[in-house]
């Protein structure tokens, strides 16, 4: 869901909104100091539901806690950085928490427009979002293979580039211009069906409910 480390370890039961399928973040808990609603996909919602149930059984507010003392009292995490490092040490792993957000932003960028990606990354400007994107070699290869000249073919079956070099001044410029404009038209929202579910009726305003009272 693109959470920051402090946001994850600070999550409480009352922040999880199962009905609206997401998590509410208070302004004082976010880097941008603004209240936000973070939508959850089915896998994330399932995990959140399990964590809420576990917290309720343990009679604690926080979703992530640690066992303290011999009696096993559950306490909230006070130092997210140390808690993350401890968890990795016990699992024998090396992984920067920041990389989890980079992976999230990249995954969203593969199925959504730049504006939607920026919105879900919760960045003030797109330049920040771009620094998070990590395109895998295989994804880059597939994109290059799909970017063929066949989309620029015009009436006689040859490409506009081929005609330009072979016919010179006898080339029908208007036909080529029309063909190129049509081929190079932006794909728009039809290429990204996910966008219709994530944006509101007034452009890229989040189509999310109001915070619970």
């Amino acid at each position: 869901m693109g959470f920051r480390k402090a946001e994850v370890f600070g999550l409480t039961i009352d922040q999880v909104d199962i009905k609206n399928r997401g998590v509410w973040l208070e302004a004082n808990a976010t880097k941008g100091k603004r209240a936000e609603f973070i939508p959850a996909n089915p896998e994330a919602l399932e995990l959140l539901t399990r964590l809420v149930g576990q917290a309720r059984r343990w009679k604690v507010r926080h979703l992530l806690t640690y066992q303290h003392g011999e009696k096993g009292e559950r306490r909230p995490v006070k130092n997210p950085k140390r808690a993350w490092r401890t968890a990795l040490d016990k699992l024998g792993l090396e992984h920067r928490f920041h990389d989890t957000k980079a992976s999230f932003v990249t995954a969203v960028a593969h199925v959504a427009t730049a504006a939607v990606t920026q919105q879900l990354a919760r960045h003030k400007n797109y330049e920040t979002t771009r620094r998070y994107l990590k395109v895998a070699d295989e994804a880059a290869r597939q994109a290059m293979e799909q970017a063929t000249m066949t989309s620029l073919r015009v009436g006689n079956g040859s490409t506009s580039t081929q005609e330009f070099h072979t016919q010179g001044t006898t080339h029908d410029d208007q036909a080529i211009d029309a063909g190129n404009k049509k081929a190079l038209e932006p794909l728009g929202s039809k290429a990204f069906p996910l966008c219709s579910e994530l944006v509101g009726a007034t452009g890229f305003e989040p189509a999310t409910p109001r915070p619970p009272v």
Side-chain angles (χ1 to χ4, degrees):
M1 294 174 66
F3 286 120
R4 297 179 177 90
K5 191 188 304 178
E7 294 170 346
V8 168
F9 286 100
L11 286 177
T12 58
I13 292 176
D14 55 309
Q15 290 179 260
V16 181
D17 190 337
I18 301 299
K19 180 179 179 181
N20 291 313
R21 296 177 298 171
V23 171
W24 296 97
L25 295 180
E26 297 180 357
N28 59 5
T30 65
K31 185 176 181 180
K33 300 303 177 183
R34 59 180 180 272
E36 298 173 306
F37 178 81
I38 314 300
N41 62 17
E43 291 81 2
L45 189 63
E46 179 182 356
L47 177 57
L48 288 169
T49 302
R50 290 170 55 189
L51 289 174
V52 168
Q54 176 179 265
R56 285 174 174 164
R57 289 195 302 274
W58 288 344
K59 298 180 180 180
V60 294
R61 290 182 60 248
H62 288 79
L63 301 190
L64 298 179
T65 56
Y66 70 96
Q67 186 174 339
H68 177 77
E70 297 180 357
K71 295 182 179 180
E73 179 186 359
R74 307 301 306 190
R75 291 187 177 183
V77 174
K78 294 182 179 180
N79 189 325
K81 184 176 181 180
R82 184 173 62 185
W84 176 251
R85 186 169 59 248
T86 300
L88 291 181
D89 289 343
K90 289 185 176 181
L91 294 172
L93 299 176
E94 291 185 8
H95 186 76
R96 294 192 313 165
F97 190 92
H98 189 75
D99 290 339
T100 63
K101 181 156 188 174
S103 299
F104 167 78
V105 175
T106 300
V108 173
H110 283 169
V111 296
T113 62
V116 173
T117 303
Q118 178 186 340
Q119 175 187 314
L120 292 178
R122 297 185 288 141
H123 292 149
K124 192 172 182 179
N125 58 73
Y126 187 67
E127 288 304 313
T128 303
T129 305
R130 288 183 60 183
R131 292 199 294 269
Y132 279 77
L133 300 179
K134 294 182 179 180
V135 181
D137 291 341
E138 184 60 28
R141 180 178 296 277
Q142 291 179 4
M144 181 60 72
E145 291 176 351
Q146 293 174 8
T148 65
M149 291 298 291
T150 56
S151 62
L152 297 177
R153 294 189 181 281
V154 290
N156 63 1
S158 60
T159 66
S160 60
T161 303
Q162 291 172 332
E163 287 193 351
F164 181 80
H165 288 294
T166 56
Q167 296 186 16
T169 56
T170 61
H171 180 64
D172 186 347
D173 292 332
Q174 292 183 348
I176 294 301
D177 288 342
N180 284 343
K181 287 180 180 178
K182 183 176 181 180
L184 298 177
E185 285 179 353
L187 294 177
S189 60
K190 293 182 179 180
F192 303 97
L194 179 66
C195 297
S196 61
E197 300 178 8
L198 296 178
V199 299
T202 57
F204 284 99
E205 178 183 349
T208 57
R210 293 180 178 274
V213 178

